[in-house]
């Protein structure tokens, strides 16, 4: 069964796709659960200066913090946490916290992905695949299951890594 696309997503113009160069740029991830743990490695690979704000984090994120690959603020999100950020991810299990993160991001003109409700964010994260220098990104109008399915199918056509 395909995921329903919300009316607000269906009525929106399509997202403008761009590749972000994040080397040395402050990126803030609010939340430390499975979604954050999945999204952090590609952000680190892009060279982002990563800050995680969450009272608790997955063991993989804690290990990254111990190795000083990310800065972990072991507390709840607070206004001002996005100061100086170029990009943000609201990935908590609290819709009200995610709403506050997006509101602060919008006021600060920071692109922000909202993991629990893509249509309520300021940006969306595509389903991606990479082989060597070739990257593939798929957005399908808010239907993340279709995006993943198409990504998986198309990824079989990427050239071999060198």
């Amino acid at each position: 069964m395909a995921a329903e696309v919300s009316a607000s997503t269906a009525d929106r113009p399509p997202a403008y796709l761009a590749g972000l160069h994040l080397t040395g740029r402050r990126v803030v991830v609010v939340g430390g659960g499975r979604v954050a743990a999945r999204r952090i490695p590609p952000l680190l690979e892009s060279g982002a200066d990563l800050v995680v704000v969450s009272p608790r984090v997955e063991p993989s994120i804690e290990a990254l913090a111990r190795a000083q690959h990310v800065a972990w603020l072991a507390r709840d999100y607070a206004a001002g946490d996005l100061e100086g950020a170029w990009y943000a991810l609201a990935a908590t299990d609290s819709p009200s916290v995610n709403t506050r993160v997006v509101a602060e991001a919008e006021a600060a003109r920071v692109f922000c992905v909202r993991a629990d409700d893509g249509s309520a964010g300021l940006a969306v994260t595509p389903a991606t695949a990479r082989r060597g220098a070739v990257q593939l990104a798929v957005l399908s109008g808010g239907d993340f299951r279709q995006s993943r399915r198409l990504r998986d199918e198309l990824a079989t056509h990427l050239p071999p890594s060198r």
Side-chain angles (χ1 to χ4, degrees):
M1 180 169 131
E4 275 189 42
V5 177
S6 71
S8 62
T9 301
D11 295 340
R12 269 186 172 177
Y16 177 79
L17 298 177
L20 300 177
H21 294 287
L22 296 174
T23 301
R25 310 264 191 226
R26 179 181 170 93
V27 173
V28 178
V29 175
V30 180
R34 288 177 300 167
V35 172
R38 193 174 67 244
R39 303 267 178 97
I40 286 173
L43 288 167
L44 287 173
E45 288 174 13
S46 76
D49 179 14
L50 205 57
V51 177
V52 177
V53 180
S54 181
R56 292 167 305 287
V57 295
E58 291 285 311
S60 62
I61 300 172
E62 187 172 0
L64 290 169
R66 275 196 313 272
Q68 298 183 342
H69 295 296
V70 302
W72 174 26
L73 305 179
R75 60 168 173 72
D76 289 330
Y77 165 78
D81 282 344
L82 301 186
E83 186 174 333
W86 284 69
Y87 187 73
L89 172 61
T92 76
D93 59 3
S94 170
S96 64
V97 171
N98 293 340
T99 296
R100 289 181 20 233
V101 172
V102 171
E104 180 178 349
E106 184 150 27
R109 294 182 167 217
V110 173
F111 284 110
C112 183
V113 171
R114 183 168 166 171
D116 65 334
D117 181 359
S119 67
L122 306 172
V124 291
T125 302
T128 62
R130 185 175 86 186
R131 227 181 253 148
V134 177
Q135 296 184 70
L136 169 72
V138 178
L139 292 176
S140 58
D143 184 346
F144 66 90
R145 289 182 185 100
Q146 183 180 27
S147 295
R148 286 192 313 227
R149 188 172 54 253
L150 288 169
R151 180 238 8 235
D152 293 345
E153 182 179 324
L154 293 169
T156 65
H157 302 287
L158 291 175
S161 296
R162 293 183 188 165

